[in-house]
């Protein structure tokens, strides 16, 4: 389960009604998820499901079929220490003891029929599950990494000591030899000042605490250590930030002053991490290091609520560039940079991002203090015209800031958020600072209505665009198949693939108009293509509403006849969801399609409770698997599941289309398993024209 990409969710469902269980799956599939599910009716079935190699993501339960009960289910899960969130769905008027269910282990109790509520809670549980799984994987990786790091530090020639809150966390053997201490002597937990000369103790301790508190990425210090015998050892140490045993820690790499070239070496290291002498700006790489350390310190509990990232945008730079040219605008950038870095000093690193943007890491404190600092910057830089050569140039700034917190550890995202906040400040008139605020995601109550409005407008103003993707035969078929898809351009010029909104609208009568538009436009293109002499055929994916519309197939027959297209050149495609949704009407509909001479196709197949049983009574020519079956097969994921599904469909006499083939490595096992057709960007992405060369690649 990879929630961010809306991939496959694996459900265990405890419900006495398979139809009701199927309806639960449809709620998630309509929201863009692929699903796998197993229906559980007994404790033995639950035990078998949990004992297999499969990882389940969510447990959905209504009243369990007797003798199974909630107490047995949760006792088993708790005893086995299985991380599987359980959601109970109850009739709205049920007087079940909610508190006792929650105490048993239920994550939520939701009234049946409240689909939005179920979807919202489930998405939250899945996101939390994803985080827990990631945490467990990272804990194992961290443990192994710490073991390797200790081995490397133990073998390092230079003395190294780790210090946190003024106390030694680790000292390597080279440090023990330098200070003439026996290897078995434990320094961990001892104050670092104990190994420093008394005359330097106070200054060194204060310096290290200041570096630690500020989250400074790199610094250096010179002092006297004392060895086991009390003798003083003059040293220089370069100090960098790291993490050790889950703590924000300072790493001190130590050099004896008497070593040849030590001063020069330390100076070179410091110069490498110093800002530009002319502008005071850090290079992007230096700034990236400072930001990484700041994020790490916040995650490990330091600096939370005291660090922020600020985008400083020069609004007037473009105007200066247009009026005076590039050279003057670049001089203005450098002049503003000098003023900013002078005001902020090295405590607040600044780098240039180009386009009139600077990014500053502010160690200023709370939002109130950042706001005050922002106002001071605007007043100081924008208060008067800046002299650049012979020009008096006005400077207007817009500032955007985002507070660093332990839930956002992506540097690129933080920079983007600060720039968005600066754009908001500019939109509000400029000369001000705005903070990035996380926008609330609106509830989905009005989504269908909004989408329906967008689709209606797209139909009215011809904002749909068809595309065609070849479906390649692996068994030497002479027919040239293309699957038809389309996209919609909204009022803002953004393009949306039909797959993103069709599941939410295809139950509505509006979608019937879309189906008819798609069929007419695709027929026009097909007519032109077939005149070239090819046996070109189209797979047209229609919505579920058309299954219930008695006028659709007669209309389609007339439309095809008018276009001069044989019905054998068309394959009518319906999703697996609709097979379950219109179970009673589907056999008759497919029979009528076949009587017209068209082929029948079921797509997005394999996500229902019992996919093969659901199509056993249907006259279906082609089965197109859900794209989730091919996700990760080049890395060995889902291979067994894909093979079993293809083989089972072959045994039932259905021809199989496998979509989502992106590489030759993915194509090889699919061919070996016996698939009849493949589809994907490895052959050709969806195109505006039916122009694939089947002769060379078919």
């Amino acid at each position: 389960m990879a929630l961010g990409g809306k991939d496959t969710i694996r459900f265990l469902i405890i419900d006495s009604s398979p139809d009701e269980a199927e309806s639960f799956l449809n709620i998630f599939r309509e929201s863009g998820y692929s699903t796998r599910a197993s229906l559980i009716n007994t404790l033995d079935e639950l035990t078998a499901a949990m004992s297999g190699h499969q990882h389940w993501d969510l447990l959905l339960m209504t009243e369990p079929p007797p003798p199974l009960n909630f107490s047995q289910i949760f006792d088993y899960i708790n005893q086995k220490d299985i991380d599987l969130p359980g959601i109970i769905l109850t009739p709205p008027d049920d007087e079940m003891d909610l508190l006792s269910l929650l105490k048993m282990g239920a994550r939520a109790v939701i009234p049946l029929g409240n689909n939005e509520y179920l979807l919202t809670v489930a998405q939250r549980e899945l996101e939390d599950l994803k985080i827990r799984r990631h945490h467990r994987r990272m804990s194992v990786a961290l443990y192994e990494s710490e073991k390797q790091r200790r081995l490397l530090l133990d073998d390092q020639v230079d003395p190294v000591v780790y210090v946190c809150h003024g106390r030694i966390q680790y000292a390597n053997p080279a440090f023990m030899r330098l200070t003439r201490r026996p290897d078995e002597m434990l320094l961990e937990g001892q104050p670092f000042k104990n190994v420093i000369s008394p005359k330097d103790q106070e200054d060194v301790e204060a310096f290290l605490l200041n570096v630690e508190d500020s989250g400074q990425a790199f610094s250096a210090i010179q002092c006297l250590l004392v060895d086991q015998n009390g003798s003083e050892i003059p040293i220089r140490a370069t100090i960098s930030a790291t993490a050790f045993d889950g703590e924000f820690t300072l790493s001190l790499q130590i050099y004896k002053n008497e070593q040849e070239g030590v001063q020069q070496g330390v100076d070179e290291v410091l110069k490498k991490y110093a800002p530009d002498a002319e502008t005071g700006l850090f290079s992007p790489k230096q700034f990236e290091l400072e930001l990484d350390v700041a994020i790490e310190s916040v995650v490990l509990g330091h600096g939370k609520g005291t660090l922020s990232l600020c985008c400083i945008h020069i609004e007037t730079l473009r105007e200066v560039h247009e009026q005076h040219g590039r050279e003057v605008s670049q001089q203005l950038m450098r002049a503003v940079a000098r003023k900013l870095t002078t005001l902020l000093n090295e405590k607040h690193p600044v780098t240039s991002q180009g386009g009139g943007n600077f990014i500053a890491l502010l160690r200023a404190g709370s939002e109130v203090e950042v706001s005050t600092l922002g106002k001071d910057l605007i007043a100081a830089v924008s208060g008067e015209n800046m002299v650049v050569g012979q020009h008096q140039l006005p400077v207007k700034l817009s500032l955007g800031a985002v507070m660093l917190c332990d839930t956002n550890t992506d540097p690129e995202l933080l920079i983007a958020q600060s720039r968005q906040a600066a754009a908001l400040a500019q939109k509000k008139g400029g000369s001000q600072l705005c903070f990035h605020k996380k926008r609330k995601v609106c509830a989905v109550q009005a989504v269908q209505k909004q989408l329906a409005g967008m689709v209606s407008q797209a139909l009215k103003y011809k904002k749909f665009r068809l595309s065609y993707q070849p479906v390649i035969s692996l068994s030497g078929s002479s027919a040239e198949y293309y699957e038809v898809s389309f996209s919609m351009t909204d009022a803002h010029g953004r393009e949306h693939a039909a797959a993103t909104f069709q599941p939410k609208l295809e139950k509505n009568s509006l979608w019937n108009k879309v189906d008819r538009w798609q069929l007419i436009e695709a027929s026009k293109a097909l007519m032109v293509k077939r005149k070239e002499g090819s046996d070109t055929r189209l797979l047209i994916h229609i919505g579920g509403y058309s299954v219930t519309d008695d006028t659709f197939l007669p209309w389609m027959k007339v439309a095809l006849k008018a276009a001069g297209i044989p019905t054998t050149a068309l394959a009518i495609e319906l999703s697996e969801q609709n097979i379950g949704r219109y179970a009673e009407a589907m056999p008759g509909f497919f029979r009528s399609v076949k009587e017209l001479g068209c082929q029948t196709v079921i797509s997005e197949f394999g996500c229902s409770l019992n996919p093969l049983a659901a199509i056993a009574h249907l006259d279906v020519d082609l089965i197109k698997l859900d794209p989730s079956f091919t996700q990760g097969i080049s890395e060995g994921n889902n291979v067994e599941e894909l093979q079993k599904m293809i083989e089972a469909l072959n045994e039932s006499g259905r021809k199989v289309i496998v979509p989502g083939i992106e590489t030759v490595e993915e194509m090889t096992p699919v061919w070996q398993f016996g698939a009849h057709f493949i589809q994907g960007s490895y052959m050709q992405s969806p195109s505006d024209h039916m122009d694939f060369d089947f002769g060379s690649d078919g």
Side-chain angles (χ1 to χ4, degrees), residues 474-495:
L474 296 176
S475 52
S477 170
S478 60
E480 300 179 357
Y481 285 94
Y482 288 90
E483 184 178 38
V484 181
S485 59
F486 63 92
S487 57
M488 171 183 69
T489 304
D490 66 18
H492 302 286
R494 296 170 300 199
E495 201 165 59

Side-chain angles (χ1 to χ4, degrees), residues 34 469-472 474 483 539 573 602-605 623-633 642 646 649 656-663 666-667 670 675-683:
S34 295
Q469 187 172 32
V471 179
I472 314 297
L474 296 176
E483 184 178 38
L539 279 65
E573 179 182 329
I602 294 176
S603 60
E604 300 166 38
F605 184 81
I623 299 290
K624 181 182 172 184
L625 298 185
D626 189 79
S628 59
F629 279 91
T630 51
Q631 285 175 352
I633 60 169
L642 175 64
I646 292 174
L649 287 167
V656 183
I657 303 171
V658 179
I661 302 299
E662 311 297 328
T663 64
E666 293 174 347
M667 185 173 72
V670 168
H676 301 83
F677 296 89
I678 54 172
Q679 183 183 14
S681 61
Y682 174 67
M683 287 67 69

Side-chain angles (χ1 to χ4, degrees), residues 558-578:
V558 173
L560 292 176
K561 187 176 181 180
I565 294 172
T567 53
T568 53
L570 222 60
I572 298 301
E573 179 182 329
L574 281 152
S575 69
E576 184 186 55
Q577 280 175 271
N578 286 314

Side-chain angles (χ1 to χ4, degrees), residues 610-626:
N610 196 338
L612 294 166
I615 63 167
H617 61 295
L618 297 176
D619 191 356
V620 184
D621 298 301
L622 299 166
I623 299 290
K624 181 182 172 184
L625 298 185
D626 189 79

Side-chain angles (χ1 to χ4, degrees), residues 32 39 49 80 98 204 247 263 303 434 464 579 586 595 665:
L39 187 61
K80 296 291 183 181
L98 302 185
V204 171
E247 290 277 355
Q263 178 62 51
C434 286
F464 283 126
I579 303 303
M586 199 59 70
E595 287 170 359
E665 290 80 16

Side-chain angles (χ1 to χ4, degrees), residues 23-24 26-28 30-31 33 87 89 108 110-125 441-449 504:
S23 71
F24 295 151
N26 276 342
I27 294 169
F28 291 87
E30 286 177 12
S31 293
Y33 296 97
I87 296 174
L89 298 114
I110 298 172
L112 274 167
N114 201 330
N115 295 348
E116 268 186 42
Y117 188 5
L118 170 61
L119 189 62
T120 303
V121 171
Q123 286 172 330
R124 189 171 296 171
E125 289 299 328
V441 180
C442 298
V444 217
Q445 293 176 351
V447 164
Q448 286 193 13
K449 188 175 179 182
K504 294 180 174 67

Side-chain angles (χ1 to χ4, degrees), residues 410-563:
D410 184 344
E412 290 184 7
L413 180 59
L414 288 166
I415 290 171
Q417 288 173 344
S418 70
R419 292 187 69 160
Q420 288 166 9
L424 178 62
Q426 185 175 0
K427 191 176 179 181
K428 289 184 174 182
S431 297
Q432 59 183 292
L433 180 144
C434 286
F435 283 94
H436 174 267
K437 301 294 181 186
K438 191 173 180 180
R439 289 183 294 180
K440 289 184 179 179
V441 180
C442 298
V444 217
Q445 293 176 351
V447 164
Q448 286 193 13
K449 188 175 179 182
Q450 291 168 356
L451 284 174
M454 290 167 63
V455 169
S456 294
Q457 290 296 303
L459 279 171
K460 183 177 179 180
Y461 295 107
K462 299 180 180 179
K463 294 294 184 180
F464 283 126
R465 181 177 62 84
L466 288 180
S467 54
Y468 307 89
Q469 187 172 32
V471 179
I472 314 297
S473 172
L474 296 176
S475 52
S477 170
S478 60
E480 300 179 357
Y481 285 94
Y482 288 90
E483 184 178 38
V484 181
S485 59
F486 63 92
S487 57
M488 171 183 69
T489 304
D490 66 18
H492 302 286
R494 296 170 300 199
E495 201 165 59
H496 307 270
T500 61
F501 55 87
Q502 179 170 345
K504 294 180 174 67
L505 293 181
E506 63 176 345
K507 294 179 287 185
N508 301 339
S509 59
L510 171 66
W511 203 259
N512 191 252
K513 295 179 181 178
V514 176
D515 286 340
R516 295 182 186 222
W517 170 86
Q518 179 187 200
L519 199 139
I520 288 171
E521 296 302 317
S523 296
K524 292 176 185 176
L526 180 60
M527 179 177 61
V528 173
K529 180 66 177 176
R530 285 178 69 89
K531 283 180 179 178
E532 298 173 3
S534 60
D535 183 14
T536 306
R537 305 183 185 190
L538 295 183
L539 279 65
I540 295 188
H541 189 170
I542 65 170
Y545 185 87
S546 293
V547 174
T548 64
D549 179 8
D550 295 336
T551 68
F552 180 73
L553 290 180
W555 171 87
M556 186 178 79
K557 182 179 179 181
V558 173
L560 292 176
K561 187 176 181 180

